[in-house]
Amino acid sequence: LINEDLTMEQAGEAHCSAEEALTDDYKMMMTLDQGQFSEVKLAFHIPTVSCVVVKILRKNKKYASFINSEVSIMKSFDHANIIKLFHVVHTRETTYLVMEHASEGDLLHHILEQGSLEESEARRLFIQILHAVQYCHNNSIAHRDIKAGNILLDCRGNAKLADFGLSAKVSPEQKFNGFCGTLYYCAPELFGEEAYDGRATDMWSLGVLLFLMVAGHFPFRARSVERVKEHILAANFKVPPHVSMDIFNVIVELLIINPGWKPNIGQIMRRPMVRSREAQSPPTSTQAIPGTTNDLEQDPHLLVSNSPRQKFQF
């Protein structure tokens, strides 16, 4: 009993010292987002005089496996187009993820501000996103929630894939069951009862994302959730006539109903849209926190009709 009490006391001191170190090194500023069991804050890292994002996860048995998976996956990543995890602090009740701050916000708001993106910018950003997804898939990770709100833009305007809260490590033949992701980006197989390939659903989401970038609205729109599902299940969409043929071909190829016919990321990387414009690799983030090794959790943005420049047509 004495040994057990001492162990508990030492553990408590370790938790306190970890939280104190976080408080000493970081000045918490504005709240960027808030979810059911998490909060995302902009913070100032005093030693390096730089801004970071701190994701605060309240420990809950129901979500423990998701938190552990997210931390493990992000720790394993090192890619210029994926948000960087700098530091993880565990206390008795909370896990803090200290991550790279992408100062230009998310791609969704950027699209809303522009109405739609110029094709040159859409190509550049989409190719950067493809590189990030290729890195994930090559490392046996399915993102499972690719959407414009989970693509962040750094100070140089480069794309950074974020939010790995639903991501999973997958084996070559592994399949998933159950709905996962954000409605407007979901592949048809997510609404069925059969198991599906998480990497194939990522590819469908990329098709929706590319369509949104060049069209300024989602390919599948309706007044109700059920009608949206119907459009997705039928792949009922129309690419605007102004879209260039090489982009049109990639969208159509990605939004194929049959998951067995869907291209993998390597095949899409060989398409003329990608090959004709070499993606310029952005420099590694200038943010560096000495002695440390990102993920921005956002609520699903199912509708973006609150923008004055982009209204959904029902």
Side-chain angles (χ1 to χ4, degrees):
L1 287 176
I2 293 174
N3 288 338
E4 182 177 346
D5 288 341
L6 286 173
T7 303
M8 290 175 64
E9 183 179 349
Q10 290 167 351
E13 289 175 355
H15 286 307
C16 290
S17 62
E19 198 150 22
E20 285 171 3
L22 189 75
T23 306
D24 289 343
D25 286 347
Y26 300 93
K27 179 178 176 58
M28 298 296 176
M29 298 189 288
M30 63 184 291
T31 297
L32 299 175
D33 194 23
Q34 195 156 7
Q36 185 179 356
F37 69 103
S38 66
E39 188 175 10
V40 179
K41 286 185 173 289
L42 180 65
F44 184 73
H45 186 241
I46 298 168
T48 58
V49 195
S50 61
C51 286
V52 295
V53 167
V54 178
K55 184 173 181 178
I56 305 167
L57 298 161
R58 294 181 291 278
K59 290 185 177 177
N60 180 309
K61 288 184 179 179
K62 182 179 178 181
Y63 301 110
S65 62
F66 290 100
I67 294 173
N68 293 336
S69 174
E70 180 176 1
V71 171
S72 175
I73 286 170
M74 293 200 71
K75 276 184 174 181
S76 71
F77 283 165
D78 182 16
H79 192 277
N81 297 118
I82 295 177
I83 283 290
K84 190 177 293 296
L85 176 67
F86 291 134
H87 195 42
V88 180
V89 176
H90 295 286
T91 68
R92 189 174 280 112
E93 298 179 351
T94 310
T95 295
Y96 299 87
L97 306 184
V98 181
M99 302 175 293
E100 176 183 1
H101 172 51
S103 60
E104 295 304 302
D106 64 55
L107 180 58
L108 177 62
H109 288 89
H110 182 59
I111 294 170
L112 294 179
E113 288 174 358
Q114 303 298 320
S116 63
L117 302 187
E118 295 288 337
E119 286 198 358
S120 58
E121 183 180 24
R123 291 171 196 270
R124 180 180 66 84
L125 291 174
F126 190 70
I127 291 170
Q128 290 180 352
I129 296 163
L130 287 178
H131 279 291
V133 175
Q134 183 180 45
Y135 179 86
C136 292
H137 288 190
N138 286 349
N139 285 279
S140 303
I141 301 295
H143 187 279
R144 305 179 74 208
D145 196 21
I146 294 172
K147 60 182 179 180
N150 285 340
I151 307 297
L152 306 180
L153 303 175
D154 69 10
C155 61
R156 298 178 178 85
N158 292 312
K160 304 270 186 174
L161 181 61
D163 199 338
F164 291 85
L166 296 178
S167 301
K169 186 89 173 173
V170 292
S171 59
E173 303 301 322
Q174 185 176 351
K175 299 292 180 72
F176 294 93
N177 291 99
F179 184 86
C180 178
T182 303
L183 176 62
Y184 281 87
Y185 296 86
C186 285
E189 56 265 34
L190 285 161
F191 304 117
E193 295 181 359
E194 294 184 8
Y196 56 85
D197 183 346
R199 284 159 296 194
T201 60
D202 279 352
M203 301 308 294
W204 176 281
S205 298
L206 286 171
V208 174
L209 180 63
L210 180 57
F211 185 105
L212 176 63
M213 291 166 75
V214 297
H217 61 81
F218 290 115
F220 310 106
R221 301 173 294 164
R223 289 185 181 275
S224 68
V225 169
E226 288 305 316
R227 288 290 292 163
V228 171
K229 287 182 182 178
E230 289 176 12
H231 288 312
I232 292 173
L233 289 168
N236 183 14
F237 69 95
K238 183 178 180 180
V239 181
H242 71 265
V243 175
S244 297
M245 186 56 65
D246 60 344
I247 295 178
F248 172 94
N249 288 339
V250 170
I251 290 172
V252 170
E253 189 173 7
L254 288 169
L255 298 181
I256 291 177
I257 297 176
N258 189 327
W261 295 351
K262 231 172 250 145
N264 60 38
I265 192 70
Q267 291 169 326
I268 291 298
M269 294 298 288
R270 295 193 291 270
R271 297 299 176 255
M273 175 195 162
V274 180
R275 288 172 50 183
S276 63
R277 173 175 180 135
E278 288 286 332
Q280 294 185 356
S281 299
T284 303
S285 172
T286 55
Q287 288 181 290
I289 299 180
T292 67
T293 5
N294 190 24
D295 166 7
L296 178 60
E297 171 149 322
Q298 303 198 10
D299 292 330
H301 297 284
L302 297 186
L303 294 175
V304 292
S305 55
N306 57 328
S307 166
R309 299 189 61 183
Q310 171 58 49
K311 298 288 184 180
F312 277 99
Q313 298 175 357
F314 296 127

